[in-house]
Amino acid sequence: SDTKVMTCAAVWRMPKELESGSHESPDDSSSNTQTLELLCHLDNTAHGNMACVMWEPMGDGKKIISLADNNILLWDLQESSTKAVLSSSAALEGKGQLKFTSGRWSPHHNCTQIATANDTTVRGWDTRSMRQIYCIENAHGQLVRDLDFNPNKQYYLASCGDDCKVKFWDTRNVTEPVKTLEEHSHWVWNVRYNHSHDQLILTGSSDSRVILSNMVSISSEPFGHMVDDDELSDQEDQHQEEKIKEPLQDSVIATYEEHEDSVYAVEWSSADPWLFASLSYDGRLVINRVPRALKYHILL
Amino acid sequence: AAGSGPGENPEAAAAGTGGGGSGWRRPHGPLQRYYGPSAAEAAEAAPDPTDINGPHFDPEVFMTKVRNECPLGQLLAQEAALGREIRALDSDMQTLLYENYNKFISATDTIRKMKVDFRHMEAEMDDLAANMAAISASSARVSAALQDRHRRGAQLAGVQALLRKLQALLEVPGRLRRWAGTEPARALRCYGRARAVLRHYRHLPSFRAIEDESHAIMAELAQRLRTRLREEMLDPKELTECVEMLLQLEEPPEELSEEFLSQAGARLETELAALEAELPTSDPSGAATTPPPASDILDFVDRGSSAFVGTLCQLAGSYRTLFGEDTGRLEPFAAALATRYFALLERRLALERGLGDTSLLVRALDRFHRRLQALLELLPSGTTAAAELVARAARERVDRYLRALQTFFLGCLGDVRQALAAPRPPGKEGPGLPDLLATLAASVLGQLKAVLAYVQLFTARDVAFASLPYFKGEFCITAVREGLVVAFIRWLCHTARGFADGPAERGAPAAPPALLLLLARLCLDYESSTISYILTLTDEQFPPQDSGPPVTPGPALCAEARAAAQRLLDHYVQVQGAAVAQMLRKSVETRDWLGTVEPRNVRAVMKRVVEDITAIDVQVGQLFEEGVRRAQSSDSSRRAFSVYSSSRAPGRYAPSYTPSAPMDTHLLSNIQKLFSERIDIFSPVEFNKVSVLTGIIKISLKTLLECVRLRTLGRFGLQQVQVDGHYLQLYLWRFASDERVVQGLLDEVAASAAHRCLDPVPMEHSVVELICERG
């Protein structure tokens, strides 16, 4: 009958028990399945398929941006989030049928910037004026699949795409990527910065692999964790100096091959910075830890 | 003899007159012999006592001889002959006597008369003797009287000579003055002659005056010469003369040598300036805008060496003769100038951009080097500088050849690209890839050989500087082998890689895939044979020294070439795979899979995919070998699963969508995956057709899989995917190294489509087959 497929977006509330950091045993949660409470729909009938929805990274959680086909929609949640009002929007104009594939809201600059991806291009937008502020043409050889902002360095942006590459950009100078990773053997679907240690980069790809990389050279701590001199004895001091002198090398920390099919999502835990999960087409959710040795290396 | 003289005389006179005229002459010979044979005749003829006419005739001996020797008849004849002869002689004698009688008489009269005359003469002679005595007495008197005058005359002559000399001395200043202006050399000679005398007699005031004046003139001359030295531009010969004269004038040599050098320096400066004038002004804004030099390099070097080096040598030689062997001042002077000359030459060499004529350059450098040898003898420090200059020029030229080779290669690539891009009239095939490859490889190799031949001119036997140690060892190794050949091969690999690495970034115009394939093959050929051939050739033409610097080994270059080939081929696979994948993706993304009608045909895009892959197969097949296909193993688990999943069509997708048994297909799929190898989609390929095609097919099908997973399908959508998948399998398996890879990926496509299907009712397998066979 109705042969149209429409991607929509809605705002949901998580069950209270889960929200308050559950202490229940796994048995409990599986026995009585919690259901989400629908708060409101983001009405996109005029704008096309929703490709991406983003919460404002800081603030009171009243602002949402969604990408629908070639539109950027900024929503205000009102009346205790039961109503979403479109507060402003912008449309990407250009040749052909442009569609956003992905977007990311920058936590920097007082949350006034977002980055979007369409086809091989990455664009930055100012949410106050809803105007484009930068544009990386041909950021990837093929489709750009995902973006992420460095949580600690305000101009740094990671992107990944169908050319099997992960690229790191400085949005002040977009002619060349700062760094390029070519570790995957198929499309890279996700790239994620660790929330607190931005040298840790997680990528998931349809080659069924998850790769954890250590991009020290372009992180906010390029010489490792800085320790105040006072806290160190002489011996340690010497040791520390040696460590500082040696610039740390970017490297792949680990390749996780637990998945048997394409990995479509990877995410860091918001509670524990050393924990991450990946989800693949074969229905497998894998949770991994950052290797202990690396953890201590970063912390100490 | 005196007594008999008169007695015989009448006889002789009678005999002489008897014959009269000729008759008198005839017997003259025998008579003469008889009366007085000349001493000469007597000495000549041995005394023969038997010769009847000889002066030593001995009748006894004659008689004995005749009697002993002759027979009677002859004796009688001889006797008769003798008798006749005696008679004849007697009559002759009588005749002579008669004939000369009157003469005897007159002779006697004459003698008598003479006796009287002599008496008279004696008296006169006495008279004469007395007169002569008187004459000699008066002569002695006159002589004595003149003696004194004669002495005074001689004295006067001496004085006059002295006076003449004095006169000459007095004239010295005048002459000096006269010649000083026009002929300083003559003045100097004159002065030189006079100086010793003047110095000797300087205690005399007049001489001193002369000397002082001469000195003054000479000082003036010296002054003038100095001025000339200082102000005028003298050619080296004049300069040498001038300084030589000044030296003779006993000017301080220190000062002179300095002035000589400064004058020589000025002279050489002008020559350098003349050379420099030919060079365009060094203008930092753009070397490319300066016009090409008017004369060629050989001409320049020729003029430079004949003018500058010649003059410098000449001057240096003069300096040595003038100031002795102490060259403490000369050397730095010459060194400084030579350095400037080198600098000029270097600048001129720098103008030799482009390739020009290498033989000309080599000849120019050779001439430069040869001409310099003379100079270098007195300037040892310049040797290294000159050698370095030549070496630098040679290196520069080699570098330029490298660049030319690179340009040439790029030009060839441009031609190849054009040939590839040229629109072909239908039905007419353009040049095949193998032809293009052969042309490219041959022309590049030919060019390289030609360049090596040119460069070899630098080490030719008839070139003087080729014997320098640099050209024997380091040049061959560092400049030619490493700097030219190895660098070119490296650059070639790098450039080839650039086609794979570069354009993927930032949307530069991408190289056509055929070019990538061609370059991959080229690099592979280089790895397998060309590099070793080129290196062998180079080592033959430029034999390496044992103790030379380390060289890049052939295998390292081969590895580089291989890596480049690998990279290119991988890139080719990616590019072609991406092209096919793009087609598939668009076809999946733009279709409305929910509202589609029941499939009647294979979609056109699938046919297009098969066509493209077939075309790629042909293209790759032109340059690469077939490769090995994995043996078919019909009973493997993989195959079994695929047979299971595609043949049991009716019940195939059912389990996954019955909530009661959601794990069945997943389990099955996961178990199957556990036993199959992980398929790396963008993975390196091998250098053969099958591997390349497998790579492209993998990329294409994986894209199809991912795209299908993003869609929501209706029943007919699923069935269409089923038909397309079967069609692809029918036509693609033969290209892949392992049929199971194709099968596996297509199975996954079908399974994913079923997952994404709202109403998963697959089509009858027989119908699918029917549709595929029809289309």
Side-chain angles (χ1 to χ4, degrees), chain B residues 301 358-371 373 383 386-395 454-473 475:
Chain B
V301 170
T358 301
S359 62
L360 205 65
L361 176 77
V362 171
R363 263 165 53 209
L365 287 176
D366 185 33
R367 196 156 305 179
F368 164 74
H369 192 260
R370 275 176 213 267
R371 290 299 294 261
Q373 289 312 313
T383 318
E388 267 169 29
L389 183 87
V390 173
R392 234 183 348 260
R395 230 169 14 237
Y454 279 129
V455 171
Q456 212 177 8
L457 288 174
F458 281 105
T459 58
R461 203 158 292 155
D462 59 337
V463 175
F465 59 74
S467 59
L468 287 174
Y470 171 79
F471 278 94
K472 276 188 167 166
F475 179 73

Side-chain angles (χ1 to χ4, degrees), chain B residues 259-329:
Chain B
E259 292 210 357
F260 178 86
L261 286 184
S262 81
Q263 174 71 242
R267 170 103 204 149
L268 292 167
E269 288 289 334
T270 54
E271 262 154 26
L272 283 178
L275 284 177
E276 193 165 9
E278 281 183 33
L279 297 173
T281 46
S282 53
D283 136 41
S285 63
T289 58
T290 52
S295 55
D296 62 31
I297 177 85
L298 184 61
D299 197 28
F300 182 86
V301 170
D302 238 4
R303 247 170 310 137
S305 42
S306 61
F308 173 79
V309 179
T311 315
L312 185 55
C313 283
Q314 201 180 346
L315 286 171
S318 306
Y319 184 91
R320 286 182 152 191
T321 40
L322 289 174
F323 303 111
E325 291 297 308
D326 170 36
T327 53
R329 208 182 297 219

Side-chain angles (χ1 to χ4, degrees), chain A residues 154-169:
Chain A
Q154 55 184 341
Y155 297 110
Y156 275 64
L157 175 68
S159 67
C160 60
D162 285 3
D163 56 359
C164 312
K165 290 174 185 166
V166 179
K167 294 189 182 181
F168 298 90
W169 304 89

